[in-house]
Amino acid sequence: MKPTLLDNKGVPLERQKFTWRDLVQKPISKLDDDAYTRVRIILMNGIELEAHRFSHSAARMNKALQLPLAQIRRVEQHQATLINWLIGADHSPLETTIGYEQVAIDITAAVAMNEPDKYLAQVYRFGLLEDFDHMYRYSALLDRLEGKDANNILQSYTDILPGRPTIEEHRAPQDDLRRPYDRTKAAPLTKLHALTIMAAEQQTHNFYMNIGPMYSDPVARQLYAEIASIEEQHVTQYESIIDPEESWLEKWVMHELAEVYNYHGCMQQEVNPRIKAIWERFLDYELGHLHAALELFKEHERRDPAEILPETLPDPIPIASQREFVRETLAAEVDLCANGTEIVPKAQEGKASLAYRKEMNADGSPSETISAGYKWAPGSELKLKVA
Amino acid sequence: MQLTTEVGMNHSGMLAAEDGGEKMLENIELTRPPRGDERDLAKLRLDHAKDADPVGTLPEPQPEGIARVLMDKLGERLAFERSGARLYDALMVKCAADKSSGVPAKELRQIRDEEITHFALIGAAIEALGGDPTAQTPSADVAGVEGMGLMQVLNDPKTTVAQGLHAILVAEMVDNAAWDELIELTSQAGNEDLVARFTKARDEEQEHLEKVQAWYKAATMAAAE
């Protein structure tokens, strides 16, 4: 049964407790757990980190909200820790990267398929084909640097193919901004989609910025530098689709709602019972956060929560293989570009982006170098060479 | 999609996929890769290699010739023996968690203590040669990078005693070769007193290796029973 948001108050904040032992639970098995369990872990870590990032920004701009923000943020800190620490240490940073790109592909594809706003669905498909290409480049790096098969992580759910070439994804900032949804008219699902994808992209950006310098190999260092730059563009794109006219408190409520929505979706779809129990526990915590934020919304803005909340949660984002949708999108839209806020055919791309790209690629392209002549094959490309 | 994660169900291979990986295999035909091949990577790496700064330098006073190499390698051995003691600390915990492993705790502790003795021996040798045993030499730094995987394996609660012993085996095999190298360098440097002390340490390391090999073999075969 879908939670009725205004009736189910979840666990009150004062009962949301942790210990250090509780924060560090047994990690999942890289080999035995389903790839989408890892995808859910990465996604929910991103959702929590975005909530955290927003909360700090809000605190800097709203003196009256600093204490309640700090109280909820402390819990979210520990939720994010518990979730992120579920990734086992036998994942190399590059293998975890493959997991991050699987999130970016299959979650964004599911969002694009179900997004009611046609323009925003186009924006998601546009971003999707870029992350799809990153998977191909990182898979080449994993094979050619560590001698490993990315499909051990992907478990055959997600293709490893070139998408919109990363070398062509670099564009001027004015071509990364999109039109925002209208907060007064957009469907709740539209708002939840936007927050979810923005959260996933910002954590991916942060992750690449942190692990890029951990590699000794100059090719790997360059590839992470290049793709981190695209992830920064993606964060810019996805935060621009969120209506900037929402008040701080409205945005806070929507962040809490996005957490409720995604924990609920993860709980419904999780196949590992131990991890499912974590999603259930944190869904109850987030309902508590949502109601705390709603009380502040009513107190400070004198507005009715029904103005911004749906009665019940929309259907969850399906977390599953979207291979056919991605292949269809690839065939139809790989050559699209951006000009201002619009997604346009290649011939209409803005001059600023062309100039910026020429400048950045002047000394060569790491994403082209790492994948020169590369075709994924089961086990390794070396298998094709032996044959 | 399955409803529960089954214990022992490895999902990493293509045959575990519902379609046996048929769709993944289509990727090979669908890929139009960028021009070139792995030589493009090698060229980029070569450019960086030619332009690279060293890991670092030896601390002052910098000896010359064979003494310079010896000082760097003494630093490496010091770091390795110190880390080695920590690897045995981790292995002792792993063996305590699996009493059936049959690895005698007393002998593990003895090896661990001997690693510490070797650490002290090298530290004293560096001091006697006018060096600073608290400094990290370039080879010590690189040995630390090499050992990171071993440390990760031994401290992971998920790994078995046999897997931990395999990691220790890697360390002990390298350690034995490195002591041989150190004795040769010390001999070339003409320091017979140190050669005698290092030879005793090398003999102890050989015993470590033989014991670890035997324990590893027993632990691996136990899995077949």
Side-chain angles (χ1 to χ4, degrees):
Chain A
M1 199 174 97
K2 291 177 184 175
T4 50
L5 289 169
L6 296 179
D7 295 339
N8 188 342
K9 299 209 182 297
V11 175
L13 200 57
E14 61 274 14
R15 281 179 35 217
Q16 300 185 7
K17 304 287 187 188
F18 299 88
T19 65
W20 306 122
R21 183 77 177 81
D22 179 34
L23 290 189
V24 183
Q25 304 207 357
K26 283 192 290 184
I28 59 164
S29 168
K30 184 176 89 175
L31 307 180
D32 289 3
D33 268 290
D34 189 82
Y36 287 119
T37 292
R38 176 173 39 242
V39 161
R40 281 182 280 273
I41 289 167
I42 294 169
L43 172 69
M44 293 317 299
N45 180 57
I47 297 285
E48 287 293 352
L49 292 182
E50 165 55 32
H52 213 251
R53 185 186 219 186
F54 167 78
S55 173
H56 274 298
S57 298
R60 290 168 199 176
M61 302 296 287
N62 297 278
K63 175 69 183 162
L65 300 179
Q66 282 182 350
L67 180 60
L69 281 165
Q71 288 168 328
I72 290 179
R73 197 168 59 237
R74 180 65 51 85
V75 175
E76 285 172 339
Q77 161 70 23
H78 293 151
Q79 288 177 277
T81 307
L82 193 155
I83 294 166
N84 201 21
W85 268 230
L86 291 171
I87 299 292
D90 51 346
H91 292 79
S92 71
L94 189 43
E95 288 176 306
T96 304
T97 297
I98 298 296
Y100 271 62
E101 293 298 344
Q102 191 168 32
V103 171
I105 293 166
D106 287 331
I107 301 291
T108 309
V111 162
M113 290 165 72
N114 294 300
E115 172 54 49
D117 181 308
K118 284 186 181 172
Y119 170 74
L120 293 178
Q122 168 79 85
V123 170
Y124 293 126
R125 294 197 303 276
F126 186 71
L128 163 66
L129 293 187
E130 302 194 338
D131 286 317
F132 188 69
D133 192 72
H134 302 168
M135 176 71 84
Y136 169 69
R137 312 293 162 173
Y138 279 132
S139 296
L141 180 66
L142 185 66
D143 191 351
R144 290 177 165 182
L145 181 68
E146 296 186 12
K148 294 179 188 168
D149 180 357
N151 197 40
N152 290 155
I153 299 295
L154 301 174
Q155 297 178 3
S156 302
Y157 289 126
T158 310
D159 281 335
I160 303 170
L161 289 168
R164 179 173 303 118
T166 299
I167 188 174
E168 294 175 18
E169 294 170 8
H170 308 291
R171 59 184 70 88
Q174 58 265 40
D175 292 331
D176 286 327
L177 297 174
R178 307 284 168 256
R179 285 185 272 120
Y181 62 70
D182 180 338
R183 68 180 180 85
T184 63
K185 295 177 186 160
L189 185 60
T190 290
K191 298 178 181 180
L192 292 169
H193 279 164
L195 274 172
T196 300
I197 299 301
M198 180 180 72
E201 294 287 339
Q202 68 85 15
Q203 78 151 345
T204 304
H205 173 247
N206 282 336
F207 182 65
Y208 295 169
M209 291 299 285
N210 283 314
I211 67 164
M214 291 169 67
Y215 293 89
S216 59
D217 175 34
V219 182
R221 291 170 81 91
Q222 284 197 21
L223 184 66
Y224 272 91
E226 184 183 9
I227 296 183
S229 179
I230 300 299
E231 301 303 347
E232 153 57 24
Q233 291 184 196
H234 285 182
V235 180
T236 299
Q237 166 171 284
Y238 290 122
E239 68 191 6
S240 73
I241 65 176
I242 296 169
D243 191 340
E245 300 301 319
E246 290 168 341
S247 68
W248 281 101
L249 261 164
E250 186 171 349
K251 284 188 182 296
W252 185 8
V253 169
M254 292 313 297
H255 272 79
E256 299 299 349
L257 181 63
E259 291 177 82
V260 168
Y261 173 63
N262 281 294
Y263 277 121
H264 178 245
C266 287
M267 186 190 75
Q268 280 202 330
Q269 298 173 77
E270 184 55 67
V271 293
N272 179 327
R274 185 170 63 86
I275 307 301
K276 186 185 180 86
I278 293 171
W279 304 142
E280 191 169 10
R281 171 184 171 192
F282 285 174
L283 170 60
D284 285 342
Y285 281 20
E286 291 303 338
L287 283 164
H289 300 173
L290 176 65
H291 282 275
L294 282 172
E295 287 307 310
L296 291 160
F297 180 74
K298 286 190 276 189
E299 179 190 332
H300 289 268
E301 301 207 352
R302 306 280 173 206
R303 289 165 69 189
D304 181 357
E307 190 189 315
I308 56 170
L309 284 188
E311 260 187 49
T312 57
L313 288 175
D315 287 339
I317 296 169
I319 300 175
S321 175
Q322 308 297 350
R323 190 191 312 274
E324 294 312 318
F325 175 80
V326 175
R327 286 189 183 183
E328 285 164 18
T329 306
L330 187 64
E333 301 186 5
V334 71
D335 287 332
L336 295 183
C337 295
N339 190 335
T341 59
E342 303 309 307
I343 310 298
V344 297
K346 205 169 191 171
Q348 296 173 28
E349 188 167 27
K351 284 183 182 169
S353 282
L354 290 170
Y356 169 71
R357 189 175 305 149
K358 191 175 173 189
E359 177 187 308
M360 290 304 292
N361 292 328
D363 287 338
S365 162
S367 56
E368 291 289 295
T369 303
I370 191 59
S371 53
Y374 181 77
K375 283 186 177 187
W376 173 85
S380 169
E381 65 169 341
L382 297 173
K383 217 167 168 180
L384 295 175
K385 292 176 182 178
V386 172
Chain B
M1 189 182 287
Q2 63 184 47
L3 295 176
T4 58
T5 299
E6 294 174 34
V7 174
M9 184 84 165
N10 185 314
H11 287 76
S12 64
M14 291 213 316
L15 294 181
E18 276 182 14
D19 66 353
E22 278 178 34
K23 287 284 180 187
M24 286 305 292
L25 285 174
E26 291 172 8
N27 285 195
I28 299 171
E29 295 307 315
L30 291 170
T31 301
R32 301 284 172 270
R35 274 184 298 181
D37 55 31
E38 286 170 274
R39 283 173 294 187
D40 294 25
L41 274 79
K43 185 176 178 302
L44 181 61
R45 286 170 173 154
L46 190 62
D47 287 346
H48 281 267
K50 285 177 179 169
D51 187 41
D53 294 329
V55 169
T57 57
L58 280 176
E60 295 289 343
Q62 296 204 358
E64 295 298 326
I66 193 76
R68 184 187 184 85
V69 178
L70 179 60
M71 189 59 80
D72 186 28
K73 288 293 172 182
L74 283 168
E76 175 192 302
R77 230 45 279 116
L78 177 130
F80 201 94
E81 298 297 321
R82 182 175 57 193
S83 299
R86 298 308 183 192
L87 294 183
Y88 276 99
D89 281 341
L91 182 62
M92 284 191 282
V93 171
K94 199 165 283 303
C95 291
D98 179 7
K99 298 283 187 192
S100 70
S101 70
V103 181
K106 195 176 168 188
E107 289 188 50
L108 278 182
R109 178 160 289 282
Q110 186 189 340
I111 295 179
R112 185 250 192 199
D113 291 346
E114 284 176 359
E115 302 290 356
I116 297 171
T117 306
H118 298 167
F119 162 58
L121 168 66
I122 297 282
I126 292 172
E127 271 185 321
L129 294 172
D132 176 1
T134 67
Q136 194 173 28
T137 70
S139 290
D141 185 39
V142 172
V145 175
E146 287 173 355
M148 281 165 65
L150 305 180
M151 179 272 292
Q152 286 284 79
V153 168
L154 277 153
N155 286 287
D156 191 334
K158 289 196 288 194
T159 55
T160 63
V161 169
Q163 289 160 345
L165 282 166
H166 187 272
I168 287 278
L169 186 57
V170 171
E172 288 292 5
M173 292 180 99
V174 169
D175 205 19
N176 269 261
W179 277 103
D180 283 341
E181 181 195 31
L182 198 58
I183 290 165
E184 193 179 327
L185 284 170
T186 310
S187 179
Q188 284 180 32
N191 193 328
E192 291 308 315
D193 177 45
L194 276 184
V195 167
R197 289 192 218 180
F198 289 173
T199 301
K200 180 176 178 296
R202 194 267 317 276
D203 292 347
E204 287 169 352
E205 292 294 355
Q206 277 177 347
E207 285 177 30
H208 299 176
L209 177 58
E210 285 163 16
K211 284 183 178 177
V212 169
Q213 278 174 322
W215 292 330
Y216 170 64
K217 189 174 178 184
T220 304
M221 294 315 292
E225 289 167 7

